[in-house]
Amino acid sequence: MIMTVAVPAAVRRNAQPFLHGEESAAVTAAMHAGQYGHGEITERFEDAVARFLGVDEVVAVSSGTMALHIALLDAGIGPGDEVIVPSQTFAATIQPILACGATPRFVDIDPATLTITARHVLDALTPATRAVLPVLYGGRAVDLTDVQDELDRHAVTVIEDAAHAFGSRHGDVPVGARPGVATCFSFGPIKHLTCLEGGMLVPRGSAANARRLRLLGITQSQAQRATATSYAVDGYGLRGTLSNVHAAVGLVQLDHFPEITHIRKTLWTAYAGALRTIGVTVIDLDVERTVPFHCVVRVERRDQVHRLLQDRGIGVGVHYPPNHQQPAFAQWHCPLPATEQTAEEILSLPFHPAMSISDVGYVVDALAQALTDTASNTEAIR
Ligand SMILES: *Cc1c(COP(=O)(O)O)cnc(C)c1O
């Protein structure tokens, strides 16, 4: 039956950007203003995000990866240092560690949430540990309070990869507003809030060093340089600024963020309910405090189910193949049983704000059918 019904357009994609309509005019206005680099619109966007999070200062950057890279440099991470990090994440979490000359120390995850816990961190601490990089997988806040004193004693910095978690909360505190923790958001194409490409760092302390790191090591602001005959290059720096044009998109998106929050929570809740009726395990989350980034299930015969659904035009995906098994990171491989088992079972269902509740029903019906079909195939092969 599924073969004969046209696949709804929205379920063909696993994820896609969601625009509200006013972004095009905002981009055009920013282009015609004639300043494409970091500028006044970027700074307005920073102020708006700081207000949204309830923090004093944030640093707009060119991507989530750049936010992580700058956060690590700002924490003084360099050669010889170890950074505790889950393997179960996008490669963008790991590469900035290597870019600093430091070493990733891969740790396992809680199979219920696919995030690291205080226990994983404690077990992995060594005298060389200088940072812990929890990944807020799917938007879930990671609570390391049980280990915070221990981390402080050893001068270990917590840098959150909150690429999935803009708008989520740690208890009552917004992700990004926890004192003593650096938080990195991505505003890439498919994230909760998009700048087309972009990112944001909430620094642990003063933002001055992070601002210098994003601008080639230059101390003076763009505005100061425009009227001066010289500037000072004070140290190492990257080209990591966020342009006015990208920030203009972000400002529009931030205005509409409450709608996006509502849609994502509604879709996830609909998925969780429908998946329960077909007996499929969904990776759980606290929907009260989490803006869900995706809907991830655990299934047997995952590769077959994935292929069948892809063949039927449904945009399923896998987030993510584990990093400790990647060729580039082979020298830091260690056995991670929960991550390895999870890697064979997880499947991300289509999830983005253009979907409707009936699209969710369509996907869940197709998944139920695929699970039946692959089970009978397996019988036949036996
Ligand atoms: C998207 C993402 C990043 C990187 O963000 P970019 O803006 O694409 O550089 C990092 N970590 C995770 C988990 C992500 O999903």
Side-chain angles (χ1 to χ4, degrees):
M1 196 186 79
I2 281 157
M3 303 290 278
T4 60
V5 178
V7 181
V11 312
R12 292 179 174 277
R13 300 276 295 272
N14 187 255
Q16 64 184 36
F18 187 85
L19 298 179
H20 301 278
E22 300 132 61
E23 288 90 346
S24 304
V27 165
T28 305
M31 280 174 65
H32 286 292
Q35 256 210 340
Y36 300 162
H38 171 108
E40 182 262 329
I41 305 175
T42 314
E43 289 175 8
R44 269 202 283 138
F45 182 50
E46 286 182 329
D47 290 345
V49 170
R51 234 176 302 122
F52 175 84
L53 298 174
V55 299
D56 290 337
E57 288 191 293
V58 297
V59 180
V61 290
S62 52
S63 70
T65 309
M66 183 59 74
L68 290 163
H69 194 169
I70 290 177
L72 287 161
L73 291 172
D74 189 36
I77 307 303
D81 297 338
E82 273 182 15
V83 179
I84 294 175
V85 66
S87 169
Q88 173 54 62
T89 181
F90 189 37
T93 316
I94 314 303
Q95 292 288 16
I97 300 171
L98 271 59
C100 294
T103 301
R105 188 177 172 89
F106 290 119
V107 293
D108 220 346
I109 43 170
D110 175 353
T113 59
L114 311 196
T115 59
I116 64 169
T117 65
R119 172 48 52 195
H120 294 111
V121 173
L122 271 185
D123 290 349
L125 276 176
T126 75
T129 310
R130 292 272 69 85
V132 180
L133 222 167
V135 174
L136 282 59
Y137 184 85
R140 297 162 183 84
V142 173
D143 184 1
L144 296 180
T145 38
D146 285 354
V147 74
Q148 194 61 54
D149 285 350
E150 183 83 4
L151 296 179
D152 291 344
R153 240 192 330 274
H154 293 94
V156 174
T157 305
V158 176
I159 299 170
E160 296 180 315
D161 179 343
H164 296 178
F166 190 73
S168 290
R169 283 182 285 137
H170 288 282
D172 294 330
V173 182
V175 166
R178 259 203 167 172
V181 171
T183 303
C184 302
F185 295 111
S186 165
F187 298 146
I190 59 158
K191 300 296 159 60
H192 293 352
L193 183 154
T194 187
C195 289
L196 310 180
E197 293 283 7
M200 192 70 82
L201 165 63
V202 188
R204 225 158 33 112
S206 155
N209 192 42
R211 294 217 162 99
R212 194 178 57 172
L213 283 163
R214 79 172 166 193
L215 189 66
L216 303 167
I218 296 170
T219 311
Q220 288 78 11
S221 72
Q222 197 88 15
Q224 286 167 333
R225 278 189 300 137
T227 54
T229 56
S230 187
Y231 55 80
V233 184
D234 263 1
Y236 182 74
L238 296 155
R239 165 52 105 184
T241 44
L242 182 77
S243 85
N244 266 341
V245 179
H246 292 86
V249 176
L251 273 170
V252 172
Q253 292 258 314
L254 188 60
D255 269 348
H256 289 277
F257 198 69
E259 295 156 51
I260 293 300
T261 300
H262 177 73
I263 294 169
R264 285 185 172 272
K265 289 185 176 201
T266 305
L267 286 176
W268 193 86
T269 306
Y271 258 131
L275 289 163
R276 218 172 294 123
T277 68
I278 64 163
V280 167
T281 309
V282 58
I283 307 298
D284 206 9
L285 53 75
D286 174 1
V287 77
E288 196 57 39
R289 295 186 172 80
T290 307
V291 184
F293 177 64
H294 50 198
C295 180
V296 179
V297 296
R298 260 181 211 280
V299 293
E300 288 176 16
R301 303 174 301 278
R302 192 273 318 278
D303 288 3
Q304 285 181 56
V305 173
H306 177 268
R307 185 162 4 96
L308 221 109
L309 288 169
Q310 279 286 341
D311 288 349
R312 291 175 181 175
I314 296 175
V316 284
V318 175
H319 299 101
Y320 301 90
N323 286 284
H324 72 295
Q325 297 173 330
Q326 294 289 359
F329 311 131
Q331 72 186 100
W332 302 291
H333 181 278
C334 57
L336 300 172
T339 300
E340 285 156 25
Q341 165 122 31
T342 295
E344 293 176 8
E345 297 176 346
I346 47 172
L347 186 71
S348 305
L349 304 177
F351 194 94
H352 53 83
M355 285 176 63
S356 66
I357 300 293
S358 84
D359 292 332
V360 168
Y362 183 92
V363 174
V364 173
D365 288 349
L367 176 62
Q369 188 65 53
L371 289 169
T372 308
D373 293 353
T374 54
S376 49
N377 276 346
T378 312
E379 295 297 315
I381 290 160
R382 270 201 211 113

